[in-house]
Amino acid sequence: MFKLVQAFCYLATFLSLAHSAIVLPRAEVAESMMQFGYNPPRVNPDYCIGFQITYPTYPGQAYEAGSLQQIRWEVQPDIPHSPDIITRIRILNSTQHNQYIAGENITLYNVDNWGQVTFPLKIDDPTGLYHYRIMVNYPGTTVHCVYESVPFMVLQDSTKDYPLGGVNGPIPQPVVTEYPIVEGLTEVEKLEVRLSSG
């Protein structure tokens, strides 16, 4: 009986460690990492304080696709739990789908308590509303803090043609193959006729 209880304890410990190994890593999986994956808005945990996007902050700004853009942020100096790195900056469209990753593993500060990053605005989709989503790491926590900017308009060049369906073009039509109708043959013989004609 003692051996059975001991084996059960070992199994429970192993399963607990296996579960914590699954829960603790921060690597994102599934749809949110896909190029056009969905990233729903979410409420940050209580420790997500002191970080603020300082540019862009005025709604209604418009930028040309392909132009160089900046995003700036500031961290309050005397907060109890300070962030240490920006893990990812994404550009999302108005339906919260990924469009472009502006940077990953970015140093939090350029000068004093603020930072910035400059990048090309590589948006191939139609003119529309987009916004930045910054994922910030607070050490010793299991969930990134997410901050989103005000929306801005990305303008495509109106003199260029944009293929329907994005850069990969439209979805091709399926090819339909018609097989001759063969009377009086077995199923195997019909299959042989189809294979020899195709």
Side-chain angles (χ1 to χ4, degrees):
M1 181 68 177
F2 177 73
K3 294 272 187 193
L4 183 62
V5 171
Q6 188 178 17
F8 179 78
C9 288
Y10 284 133
L11 180 63
T13 303
F14 174 76
L15 291 176
S16 174
L17 289 173
H19 177 6
S20 64
I22 293 170
V23 172
L24 291 179
R26 292 176 182 247
E28 293 180 80
V29 293
E31 188 178 5
S32 64
M33 285 300 290
M34 292 181 185
Q35 181 178 1
F36 300 109
Y38 178 62
N39 287 271
R42 64 180 166 115
V43 176
N44 278 327
D46 292 337
Y47 56 80
C48 297
I49 58 170
F51 185 93
Q52 178 181 353
I53 296 173
T54 58
Y55 182 81
T57 54
Y58 298 106
Q61 295 185 36
Y63 311 122
E64 186 176 346
S67 64
L68 284 180
Q69 293 304 317
Q70 282 188 340
I71 182 167
R72 284 184 235 137
W73 58 86
E74 182 178 7
V75 179
Q76 294 173 359
D78 297 325
I79 55 175
H81 200 73
S82 186
D84 64 350
I85 193 168
I86 292 178
T87 55
R88 187 172 295 116
I89 299 176
R90 291 185 172 138
I91 300 174
L92 304 181
N93 65 14
S94 59
T95 61
Q96 294 293 115
H97 287 84
N98 293 338
Q99 293 297 309
Y100 180 67
I101 295 178
E104 292 182 304
N105 300 321
I106 299 168
T107 304
L108 195 61
Y109 304 112
N110 294 93
V111 176
D112 295 329
N113 65 329
W114 65 272
Q116 71 181 19
V117 66
T118 303
F119 53 89
L121 193 58
K122 292 185 179 178
I123 303 293
D124 294 324
D125 278 3
T127 295
L129 288 174
Y130 296 85
H131 64 279
Y132 300 120
R133 180 178 181 134
I134 301 179
M135 296 174 63
V136 181
N137 182 56
Y138 283 69
T141 62
T142 56
V143 177
H144 285 105
C145 298
V146 173
Y147 301 92
E148 295 191 2
S149 72
V150 296
F152 52 85
M153 184 74 72
V154 173
L155 303 172
Q156 297 293 348
D157 185 349
S158 62
T159 62
K160 291 184 180 178
D161 290 332
Y162 294 94
L164 184 65
V167 294
N168 295 328
I171 298 171
Q173 293 296 320
V175 177
V176 177
T177 306
E178 293 186 29
Y179 295 103
I181 299 175
V182 182
E183 299 291 328
L185 297 178
T186 67
E187 290 300 316
V188 173
E189 292 171 328
K190 290 179 185 177
L191 181 61
E192 289 174 353
V193 169
R194 287 185 189 149
L195 291 175
S196 65
S197 66

